[in-house]
């Protein structure tokens, strides 16, 4: 089986991630038009429980499998790799089946008591088959990652997205005549079908690769493989329970860290709806407002984050290598580059979402009355979310994941408390939840930045943020003028795209003139490099 280099594997997953992010907007645009904001709210309310259960079942298990399989493959012991895979599958399947039964038995209680909306019951039941399916898929993804073959994971994730989109929209449309609750459940059933398709793709690719491995001539029994431990006569003899114990030892700390984020998301969904009810908002209206926020506004804000996420992925190995050499100048240089690129690429999208919030939400969701004010309120602070990713990657690369975890936990506690305090007051309502999310993004980013500065003794370059803010303000003014005063077309789509394109042109021109983007930066982009040559 051909392995990929680290860069090749990263690019494959990045390409698949961009495709999935773009495909993900198809149901986000179409689903509200089919089942409305209230239906999206019912769909979103059940999802945090699924995230928590999957985190408990998988958590750090795929990472542990990837690490152990990589070690076994490095020692040329494919039989050990398969043993690790089978042990991981046994653990995840056992937990998956157990929690599936627990979820089914507690569905009525959760939907009526915790979520205070009995209509979520059908969505909750529809998602339970996914628990065991995702548990199995994650194990195979960890196995392929350990073998340094990212193609199966990338292919299965894209295929899962395509199948999920088709069946989400089809099932929700078919079940809509039965009511919004059934339509939301139909959307969740579509997600389940997509997960089944992704799992089958992984299984077929595993069968093909194992069959191909068997056709390759293995070394004769007792033959030492060059560079392996067997050659030196000290091949490790692992006890029968060794694989299980090591999997648990590696995965439990990672799972504990990820559970903080999952529980924060779950508590946010529960407390937001309950707080809105305390503010005097009816359950149906509260569900619709929560659906607009989590199902429409937040995904728009996070869309540009795929750029900073890929930047964070590339930053980890570079900083790890520099940190191993205690090369502070290189660490400072890489951090300044990463933060500058995150701000430069994220700022224009934040400006578009702020200035053109109404036409953007109208064109995407068909209704801007509820979503546009939320988007406009959050857009100026989106830049902190984009900068947060490389800062967190820096802490992880320099062996400070615990510090990143503490910062995230502090932000989560503050966010939950603010939701309780503000969203429950009639004068704030859903805006109280938005304020809490904004404060969370500001607080966590500032804490991450402070931790990185203390760790690396890095000095801040204030000139870059000042230039970016100035360029963004000029861009915003230009977009507003073009959209409101220059009649380019009677089509709202064309008018929106023309205004956004003019704003982007002005912004990047200022970035080039001010030195925020250099000719060297452009030469790193394949298209520009070929064009210059």
């Amino acid at each position: 089986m051909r392995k990929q280099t680290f860069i090749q594997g990263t690019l494959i997953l990045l390409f698949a991630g961009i495709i999935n992010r773009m495909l993900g907007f198809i149901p986000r645009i179409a689903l509200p038009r089919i089942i409305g904001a209230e239906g999206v709210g019912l769909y979103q309310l059940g999802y945090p429980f699924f995230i928590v259960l999957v985190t408990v079942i998988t958590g750090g298990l795929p990472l542990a499998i990837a690490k152990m399989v990589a070690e076994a493959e490095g020692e040329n012991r494919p039989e050990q790799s398969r043993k690790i895979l089978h042990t991981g599958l046994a653990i995840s399947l056992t937990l998956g089946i157990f929690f599936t039964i627990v979820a089914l038995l507690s569905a009525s209680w959760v939907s009526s008591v915790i979520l205070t909306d009995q209509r979520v019951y059908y969505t909750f039941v529809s998602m339970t088959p996914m628990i065991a399916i995702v548990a199995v898929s994650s194990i195979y993804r960890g196995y392929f990652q350990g073998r340094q073959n990212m193609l199966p994971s990338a292919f299965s994730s894209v295929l899962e997205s395509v199948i999920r989109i088709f069946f989400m929209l089809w099932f929700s449309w078919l079940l809509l005549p039965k009511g919004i609750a059934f339509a939301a459940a139909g959307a969740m059933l579509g997600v389940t079908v997509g997960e089944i398709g992704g799992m089958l793709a992984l299984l077929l690719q595993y069968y093909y690769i194992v069959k191909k491995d068997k056709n390759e001539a293995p070394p004769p029994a007792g033959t030492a493989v060059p560079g392996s431990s067997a050659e030196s006569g000290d091949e490790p003899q692992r006890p029968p329970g060794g694989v299980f114990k090591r999997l648990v030892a590696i995965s439990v700390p990672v799972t504990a860290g990820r559970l903080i984020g999952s529980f924060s998301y779950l508590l946010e969904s529960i407390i937001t709806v309950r707080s809105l009810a305390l503010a005097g908002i009816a359950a149906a209206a509260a569900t619709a407002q929560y659906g607009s926020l989590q199902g429409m506004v937040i995904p728009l804000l996070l869309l540009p984050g795929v750029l900073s996420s890929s930047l964070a992925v590339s930053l980890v190995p570079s900083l790890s290598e520099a940190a191993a050499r205690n090369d502070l100048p290189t660490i400072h240089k890489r951090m300044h580059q990463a933060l500058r690129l995150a701000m430069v690429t994220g700022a224009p999208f934040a400006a578009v979402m702020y200035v053109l919030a109404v036409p953007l939400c109208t064109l995407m969701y068909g209704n801007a009355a509820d979503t546009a004010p939320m988007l406009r309120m959050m857009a100026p602070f989106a830049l902190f979310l984009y900068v947060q990713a490389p800062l967190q990657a820096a802490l992880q690369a320099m062996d400070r994941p615990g510090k990143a975890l503490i910062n995230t936990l502090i932000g989560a506690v503050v966010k939950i408390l603010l939701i309780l305090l503000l969203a429950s007051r009639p004068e704030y309502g859903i805006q109280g939840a938005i304020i809490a999310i904004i404060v969370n993004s500001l607080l966590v980013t500032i804490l991450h930045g402070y931790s990185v500065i203390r760790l690396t003794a890095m000095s801040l370059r204030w000139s870059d943020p000042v230039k970016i803010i100035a360029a963004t303000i000029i861009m915003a003014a230009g977009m507003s003028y073009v959209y409101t005063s220059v009649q380019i077309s009677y089509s709202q789509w064309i008018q929106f795209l023309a205004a956004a394109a003019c704003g982007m042109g002005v912004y990047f021109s200022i970035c080039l003139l001010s030195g925020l983007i250099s000719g060297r930066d452009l030469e790193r982009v394949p298209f520009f490099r070929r064009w210059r040559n």
Side-chain angles (χ1 to χ4, degrees):
M1 181 194 69
R2 185 177 69 85
K3 296 181 179 180
Q4 295 113 25
T5 65
F6 173 77
I7 296 299
Q8 288 173 333
T10 301
L11 290 175
I12 288 170
L13 292 179
L14 174 60
F15 183 67
I18 292 173
I19 293 175
N20 286 333
R21 190 71 67 94
M22 299 305 294
L23 287 174
F25 263 87
I26 296 176
R28 294 192 185 279
I29 294 171
L31 195 61
R33 297 173 184 268
I34 297 174
I35 64 177
E38 189 177 348
V40 173
L42 292 173
Y43 170 83
Q44 288 291 145
L45 277 175
Y47 212 72
F49 277 92
F50 170 73
I51 298 298
V52 169
L53 291 176
V54 168
T55 303
V56 172
I57 296 167
T58 59
L61 201 55
L63 177 65
I65 288 172
K67 179 178 174 61
M68 292 176 63
V69 167
E71 293 172 354
E73 292 293 318
E75 297 170 359
N76 196 29
R77 295 188 296 129
E79 73 289 342
Q80 181 69 7
S81 296
R82 288 191 286 272
K83 182 179 180 182
I84 294 166
L85 171 67
H86 296 154
T87 304
L89 283 172
I91 296 172
S92 63
L93 264 178
T94 301
L95 291 173
I97 293 171
F98 171 75
F99 280 105
T100 298
I101 295 172
V102 170
L104 282 171
L105 293 176
S106 62
S108 179
W109 178 78
V110 168
S111 58
S112 60
V113 177
I114 297 181
L115 297 178
T116 68
D117 196 328
Q118 183 65 38
R119 295 174 301 170
V120 183
Y121 172 80
Y122 303 104
T123 302
F124 198 91
V125 170
S126 300
M127 80 176 188
T128 51
M130 277 195 293
I131 297 172
I133 296 168
V134 172
V136 172
S137 297
S138 65
I139 300 303
Y140 278 101
R141 288 194 171 97
Y143 172 79
F144 286 124
Q145 183 182 348
R147 296 192 64 171
Q148 299 179 43
N149 185 3
M150 306 303 176
L151 281 172
S153 296
F155 172 74
S156 66
S157 65
V158 174
L159 180 64
E160 180 268 324
S161 295
V162 173
I163 296 173
R164 170 173 51 84
I165 290 167
F166 175 78
F167 283 99
M168 270 184 76
L169 300 180
W170 186 33
F171 286 167
S172 61
W173 178 75
L174 283 177
L175 293 175
L176 184 59
K178 292 182 175 291
I180 293 176
F182 285 95
M188 189 63 77
L189 280 174
V191 178
T192 303
V193 175
E195 292 290 349
I196 292 172
M199 183 187 69
L200 291 177
L202 287 168
L203 293 175
L204 288 173
Q205 290 174 98
Y206 173 75
Y207 172 78
Y208 170 77
I209 289 173
V210 168
K211 185 177 179 181
K212 187 177 179 180
D213 287 346
K214 289 181 178 178
N215 292 334
E216 295 176 357
T223 302
V225 178
S228 69
S229 57
E231 185 182 40
S232 58
D234 58 350
E235 183 174 355
Q237 298 295 322
R238 290 176 172 80
V243 172
F244 174 82
K245 290 180 180 178
R246 191 156 182 239
L247 279 174
V248 172
I250 296 174
S251 62
V252 166
V254 179
T255 302
R258 292 180 178 176
L259 274 175
I260 291 177
S262 300
F263 272 114
S264 172
Y265 182 36
L266 173 61
L267 287 174
E268 179 186 335
S269 66
I270 297 170
I271 293 173
T272 300
V273 176
R274 284 183 170 269
S275 298
L276 292 175
L278 289 174
I281 300 173
T287 301
Q289 289 182 0
Y290 180 77
S292 297
L293 176 61
Q294 289 292 343
M296 303 180 196
V297 176
I298 298 294
L300 270 178
L301 285 172
L302 296 180
L303 179 60
V306 70
L307 299 171
S308 58
S309 298
S310 62
L311 187 64
V313 170
S314 304
L315 189 64
V316 170
S318 178
L319 287 183
S320 298
E321 183 181 352
R325 302 193 308 265
N326 198 26
D327 186 358
L328 284 179
T330 299
I331 292 174
H332 294 169
K333 179 182 177 182
R334 293 286 180 265
M335 284 305 306
H336 285 307
Q337 288 175 335
L339 293 175
R340 176 171 58 87
L341 289 174
M343 289 187 290
V344 167
T345 55
F349 290 98
V352 170
M353 288 185 286
Y354 178 79
V355 175
L356 304 177
V358 173
L360 180 59
C361 291
T362 302
L363 292 169
M364 295 197 69
Y365 303 127
N367 180 17
D370 296 325
T371 54
M374 298 182 192
L375 182 62
R376 180 166 286 167
M377 186 176 177
M378 301 181 74
F381 305 96
L383 202 58
F384 288 90
L385 292 174
Y386 310 147
V387 172
Q388 194 177 118
L391 288 173
Q392 183 164 331
L395 291 174
Q396 292 171 342
M398 291 180 285
D399 294 327
R400 295 295 189 278
K403 193 62 182 175
L405 179 63
I406 292 172
N407 295 340
T408 304
L409 178 60
I410 292 172
V413 171
V414 171
K415 178 176 68 173
I416 296 301
L417 290 176
L418 284 176
I419 291 175
L420 278 170
L421 290 172
L422 299 178
S424 58
R425 299 176 63 176
E427 61 267 31
Y428 288 106
I430 193 66
Q431 290 184 348
I434 294 173
I435 293 172
I437 294 172
I438 291 172
V439 172
N440 169 264
S441 63
L442 288 170
L443 180 60
V444 174
T445 302
I446 291 171
L447 289 174
H448 281 351
Y450 177 73
S451 300
V452 170
I453 290 172
R454 284 197 61 185
L455 184 63
T456 63
M458 182 182 73
S459 59
L460 295 177
R461 293 179 181 174
W462 292 104
S463 60
D464 287 347
V466 171
K467 291 178 183 178
I468 291 169
I469 291 172
T472 306
I473 293 173
I474 296 171
M475 171 192 174
M479 277 194 304
S480 179
Y481 175 77
V482 171
Y483 186 79
T484 58
S485 303
V486 180
Q487 187 64 46
I488 296 174
S489 173
Y490 290 102
S491 170
Q492 193 175 25
W493 262 116
I494 296 176
Q495 189 75 12
F496 167 79
L497 292 174
C502 291
M504 289 286 187
V506 170
Y507 175 82
F508 284 110
S509 297
I510 296 174
C511 288
L512 285 169
L513 291 173
S514 63
L516 286 170
I517 300 176
S518 64
R520 189 176 179 184
D521 292 329
L522 294 177
E523 288 177 358
R524 295 172 182 171
V525 181
F527 171 79
F528 286 102
R529 185 167 61 246
R530 289 196 300 267
W531 179 72
R532 284 173 65 92
N533 294 335

